[in-house]
Amino acid sequence: MKEHLKEHRFKGFPVSEGIAIGAPFFLTQDEKQIPEFPITIGEVDDEIARYRKALFSSREDLKRLQFDLVHEGSTDVITIIDTHIQMLDDPMMTTQMEEKIRQRLHNTESVFHSVMSDYKTRFSRLSDAFFQQRLIDVMDLAKRILGHLCPNERVSIADIPFNSVVFAQELIPSYSAAAHVSRVSAFVTHGGGGNSHAALIARAKGIPYVSCVDISAIREVVFQCVIVDGQTGDVIANPLPETLAKYQQRKTSLKTSMQILQKEFQYDAETIDGFPVRVYANIGHPNDLDSLSQAGADGIGLFRTEYLFFQSEAHVLSEESQYLAYIELLQKVNGAPVVIRVFDVGGDKSPEFYTANSKVDSTVLGCRGIRYLIRNPGIFKIQLRALLRAAVHGDVRILLPLISDICELIQVRQFIAEVGDELKSKGEPFKEAIPLGCMIEVPSAVLICDLLAKHCDFFSIGTNDLVQYTLGIDRANPMMSDSCYPAHPSVVRMIKMVVTEARRLNRPVSICGEIASNPLFIPLLLGLGASDFSCSPRYIPQVKRAIRQYSLLSAYDLAQRVLQLSSSVEVSHVLLEQNALSNTID
Ligand code: PEP
Ligand code: MG
């Protein structure tokens, strides 16, 4: 029996902040009828060809999605889509499936559907969060492949009505990735924790999200309007006029404070006692930025060129296309410094193009970053040529990822000299002396940063990888996304070591990992001696605001206090306490 027009409140788990007021949209993920019929041995090859085509189209979908996400600035989401792309090469999806089609002699979609259902039954029994996440990913990908095998039965979240609050039992990552902010105003689900891939995507897009809500109970209510509070986890169906008015007011004031915060981009980043700080932008594509002044950035602190390469196929390696992309960026920054990191392939950034072509292992502990480039001088030298030529048109600095040994730096300098000779012999204009920097992302680089300084001109501390390699935590594993980890005393000490050494040896150093955008960490980093930060343009206003809330002296005191602490929990606690205090004073 359905009830009408009574306010109904449901409590869930807040996953992504923000308030939404919209119309409900129930994502039915009911299994559609999959056609099933026997095939003859003579038809097997055609069925397998159809299956391969579906895999190919799914890969194309995912690449397109990845491209859109890069343009939206949701670079954090790329790894999730990468996982799905990699799964397309999993034997379960390739050779084993083809074998099953041969053995069972049934049409491809029915065989595929039955294999996936068996998989689901087996994995649903395992309560371990890792396997649960893997199951969600496989099922998400299976839906996509099935969609290509039975094109008439596809459901697209991209086409749902504007201002919809999407209700679903489970939110699969590709749904949240494909959601347009204008159409999806919030997500409410039964399953899915704060660290699920879909949650990370929702947060990256700024879509409020509440999980752990009883969707079947909510389905019993007839309602046209629903409120979702991503701060408290409240979901209110059919809100009473006074509830609606209250939330409308809260939504407006939240929007106003966001707008006020956005204005911070135009102010100088300066501590209360006048210490100037530089805030640079991290970008993945020249389009991530309309202009530096609009972003409020002092320059580009990190251009992750690998995302540029992911977008295209084989021609990505053309010197000319890279050269034009760098020039485009240099024109936008009007003479400001641009730190261009050479192709950081591998680990969580593994475009199958490169791995398939070069047959190298590119896992997190394998041939990634500078190791990959040194072993693939063909690819590396093309990029260096494009960079040396582009540097004639602006203040270009070259950054090397995952440096762990001086030999790597010496080898890169040798490549640069060779590329310079080639350009000279061709009569191409290029800049000879380009500043060369090392990313500090592994403990070995921290410990030899004084030695590295003899061969490089600047440092950039990549705390995402530094945390991963110091604590042995896979950064791509959602179960390992506890915000405490970057606050580990070992990481704090390492940052202090690098900043202190860099200062002693007169080498500029910037912090470019995620913690550089987190207001909790800003006073600590300032107190440890950091004066250059680089973060996604979206976070520059909040970083500037955090800088303006502290004096250098108070930041120094905080850092001294933190350096005495012995666990990440203690450090996090102190940082939270400090943040609460500064917000009260503010
Ligand atoms: C880092 O590791 O902190 C970093 C900035 O590089 P990326 O996130 O691109 O690996
Ligand atoms: Mg890194």
Side-chain angles (χ1 to χ4, degrees), residues 409 413 436-438 451-459 507:
L409 264 176
R413 288 222 179 263
L436 191 65
C438 288
L451 306 176
L452 292 172
K454 293 192 181 127
H455 299 268
C456 75
D457 305 296
F458 66 97
F459 293 130
R507 294 287 182 277

Side-chain angles (χ1 to χ4, degrees), residues 302 304 341 344 349 439 441 462-465 475 512-513:
L302 175 65
R304 292 175 159 111
R341 182 174 71 188
D344 185 13
K349 293 172 245 159
M439 284 211 73
E441 302 182 286
T463 53
N464 305 335
D465 276 318
R475 62 184 274 194
C512 70

Side-chain angles (χ1 to χ4, degrees), residues 508-520:
V509 57
S510 76
I511 317 278
C512 70
E514 287 306 289
I515 64 169
S517 61
N518 186 340
L520 281 188

Side-chain angles (χ1 to χ4, degrees), residues 297-362:
D298 290 300
I300 305 296
L302 175 65
F303 178 14
R304 292 175 159 111
T305 56
E306 53 279 3
Y307 292 125
L308 185 73
F309 299 156
F310 288 170
Q311 291 167 14
S312 354
E313 303 296 332
H315 65 271
V316 292
L317 296 180
S318 105
E319 179 183 325
E320 209 51 28
S321 67
Q322 289 187 56
Y323 171 72
L324 292 175
Y326 304 143
I327 294 282
E328 184 188 339
L329 183 59
L330 290 169
Q331 278 163 354
K332 284 184 178 174
V333 303
N334 226 350
V338 175
V339 175
I340 302 182
R341 182 174 71 188
V342 291
F343 192 17
D344 185 13
V345 66
D348 50 333
K349 293 172 245 159
S350 303
E352 68 290 353
F353 171 78
Y354 290 94
T355 46
N357 277 330
S358 60
K359 304 258 185 295
V360 292
D361 152 38
S362 65

